[in-house]
Amino acid sequence: MRHRRALAAGASLLALAAVGACSSGSGHSAAELKVSGAYIPQPALADMAAGYFTVTNTGGTDATLTSVTSGFAASITMHSTTDGRMRTAVSFDVPAGGRLVLSLGGNHLMLMDLKRKPLAGEKVSLKLHFRDADPITVPVPVKPAGYQPGK
Ligand code: CU
């Protein structure tokens, strides 16, 4: 598992352009975000965990997930996966009428510098920060190692 830094500059510029178009009074409704299906698999090691969730945007304006914070992890980064290789993403778009999916083998959170190892059955609080939408705090259940949604 190799982590390579790469700026998702193209995606961010597109998001900015869309926001600019919407702020000129064209009557778009605000972003309406909802988080679902959040979970953290119980990690093998105490110092690192992954996080997954879906953000749905039923509003008329694009939003952008810019960071995730928690009292539980000193460092949380966002990663995308392309051809099995992870890269750090500076942000993820949540398009109007669409959704952002973080899932096993795809986009995900990497939680580092944990206070302690999270155990299956407990909940960890994550705060999602957005451009063009209010932050959302989510209670995230810790699932057994190897857990897969819908199985
Ligand atoms: Cu990663």
Side-chain angles (χ1 to χ4, degrees):
M1 298 212 292
R2 230 170 56 160
H3 286 68
R4 256 181 33 178
R5 278 184 176 276
L7 296 179
S12 293
L13 285 174
L14 281 175
L16 283 174
V19 168
C22 284
S23 62
S24 55
S26 51
H28 288 280
S29 61
E32 290 271 354
L33 304 182
K34 203 177 141 186
V35 181
S36 60
Y39 74 97
I40 291 173
Q42 181 177 304
L45 301 171
D47 61 345
M48 190 201 285
Y52 307 101
F53 53 78
T54 296
V55 184
T56 305
N57 184 356
T58 55
T61 301
D62 296 341
T64 304
L65 178 66
T66 53
S67 68
V68 179
T69 55
S70 173
F72 183 74
S75 162
I76 301 180
T77 49
M78 300 183 285
H79 289 176
S80 62
T81 307
T82 311
D83 297 330
R85 191 181 285 170
M86 288 195 267
R87 296 163 188 269
T88 301
V90 288
S91 64
F92 283 129
D93 293 340
V94 194
R99 58 190 193 153
L100 163 68
V101 177
L102 276 67
S103 63
L104 201 61
N107 300 330
H108 57 277
L109 293 183
M110 193 67 73
L111 295 80
M112 314 262 279
D113 300 328
L114 309 181
K115 276 189 181 164
R116 59 184 171 76
K117 179 171 167 172
L119 299 174
E122 44 177 27
K123 282 190 177 167
V124 170
S125 180
L126 294 183
K127 189 171 185 182
L128 281 52
H129 303 264
F130 297 94
R131 192 186 301 135
D132 301 309
D134 292 332
I136 301 175
T137 299
V138 193
V140 181
V142 180
K143 297 291 191 180
Y147 168 83
Q148 289 188 46
K151 291 196 176 168

